[in-house]
Amino acid sequence: MIKVFTKTQLLLFILVFGLHFTSHAQERRIIPLNEHFFAIEAGGGEYVFNNVVSFSEEGEMIEKTYSLENKLISIKKSVLEDTPEKMPLWEQEQHFNLDGDLEFTRIKYKNEDGNYTKIIRNGNLILDLKCKSFDCKGFYITDDQQMVECDRDVFESGFPTVKTWSKLLNKHLRFPEVAKQPGSMFKIWIGFKIDESGEMIENAVMNKNLIHPSISKEVERIITKYNGKFMPALDFDGNPITSWFYITLIFRGAI
């Protein structure tokens, strides 16, 4: 049975998970970002945004992104795993329009039952998704208030299924020699630009400047091996749009 949150339940949900971020922030730093919201240092590109990063005394991370005109674009709050990968255990990301009004909030978290994604807009839950291993189930709310079952975040573009990328890696991935070294670990961010019809019209390694050339070359080779379609993102009116989506690939050497 699909569970629909009331506005009161949504408020309590945000408050409970937001309690981690009440401590005083420390270690504030400013990072120039490119048009993809990635650090200029990591991938180059045009200088478009500033990311103001701070860490609480407990190690929680708060990121505020501003335009060069100092307009707030987004606020992301994260609790990270205590592992070398530092992947998020929980994150809340709020996006604002040019007038400073909140457009939507995306919440992601994981526990022993799986990974969860929820999107809230105008106080209403419009996406509720749970993924366990490669199986995702949930629903989204259309502009005319219809509830539709889904197996992905329909407001982001992506592969047809969560298994697609894994199958591609299993079939074509070759470990570069530098990634086989004991104790080595390389995290690569990959971006795909998908048009309204599901065609990939551009791709890029987002942190190309910070990884070994042989690893970047291997990632680019793998991308060329995919000849299938993608799923375009929907806007909040339910129309397909051109958008970028980003995934992480981790090369880990022997322990």
Side-chain angles (χ1 to χ4, degrees):
M1 185 177 76
I2 295 175
K3 179 180 180 181
V4 180
F5 280 42
T6 66
K7 289 187 178 182
T8 301
Q9 288 173 316
L10 282 173
L11 178 59
L12 288 173
F13 176 84
I14 295 172
L15 286 174
V16 168
F17 279 94
L19 289 177
H20 292 287
F21 306 105
T22 58
S23 57
H24 182 66
Q26 304 288 336
E27 302 181 37
R28 184 175 181 270
R29 34 190 192 101
I30 300 176
I31 303 172
L33 303 181
N34 63 18
E35 62 274 21
H36 296 282
F37 297 94
F38 283 85
I40 293 288
E41 176 189 14
E46 185 180 356
Y47 176 26
V48 181
F49 306 102
N50 281 309
N51 197 27
V52 180
V53 182
S54 58
F55 292 85
S56 73
E57 294 174 351
E58 292 78 15
E60 298 150 343
M61 185 166 63
I62 303 171
E63 303 173 78
K64 295 184 179 181
T65 302
Y66 296 88
S67 70
L68 298 185
E69 293 76 31
N70 206 35
K71 291 186 176 182
L72 182 63
I73 304 296
S74 65
I75 301 174
K76 180 190 286 187
K77 301 177 181 180
S78 307
V79 175
L80 305 179
E81 292 178 340
D82 187 20
T83 64
E85 294 89 345
K86 296 295 183 184
M87 300 299 285
L89 285 170
W90 185 93
E91 64 182 27
Q92 173 185 297
E93 190 166 0
Q94 297 174 299
H95 291 261
F96 301 85
N97 61 28
L98 294 178
D99 294 324
D101 299 320
L102 178 64
E103 286 195 316
F104 69 92
T105 300
R106 178 181 273 110
I107 298 171
K108 294 183 178 181
Y109 62 97
K110 64 173 67 174
N111 58 31
E112 63 276 6
D113 294 327
N115 299 307
Y116 295 81
T117 300
K118 299 180 187 293
I119 297 180
I120 300 156
R121 186 168 185 257
N122 297 328
N124 297 309
L125 184 70
I126 62 170
L127 177 83
D128 194 353
L129 185 69
K130 175 185 176 181
C131 295
K132 190 168 186 178
S133 186
F134 292 117
D135 295 318
C136 296
K137 293 181 180 179
F139 69 89
Y140 70 97
I141 305 297
T142 65
D143 189 48
D144 58 358
Q145 299 303 303
Q146 297 297 311
M147 184 182 297
V148 180
E149 293 187 4
C150 62
D151 58 3
R152 68 181 187 94
D153 183 346
V154 297
F155 302 111
E156 291 186 339
S157 51
F159 288 100
T161 71
V162 293
K163 296 180 182 179
T164 304
W165 178 242
S166 178
K167 288 180 178 179
L168 187 68
L169 294 180
N170 289 337
K171 184 175 182 179
H172 297 290
L173 178 63
R174 302 170 188 163
F175 257 61
E177 289 301 318
V178 67
K180 296 179 182 179
Q181 297 177 7
S184 65
M185 197 270 286
F186 300 89
K187 183 189 294 186
I188 301 93
W189 287 98
I190 310 164
F192 301 86
K193 188 177 183 179
I194 310 303
D195 69 11
E196 297 94 331
S197 63
E199 296 289 343
M200 179 174 63
I201 55 179
E202 192 176 344
N203 65 78
V205 177
M206 293 294 142
N207 56 342
K208 189 172 184 176
N209 293 351
L210 298 182
I211 60 176
H212 195 277
S214 64
I215 294 179
S216 178
K217 184 176 180 180
E218 173 61 12
V219 172
E220 291 167 349
R221 186 189 70 82
I222 292 170
I223 293 173
T224 65
K225 295 296 183 180
Y226 183 69
N227 56 9
K229 297 278 280 188
F230 292 82
M231 301 299 291
L234 302 181
D235 63 18
F236 291 123
D237 294 323
N239 303 309
I241 57 173
T242 296
S243 70
W244 284 83
F245 80 97
Y246 308 95
I247 59 175
T248 308
L249 174 60
I250 296 177
F251 286 87
R252 188 197 301 275
I255 299 175

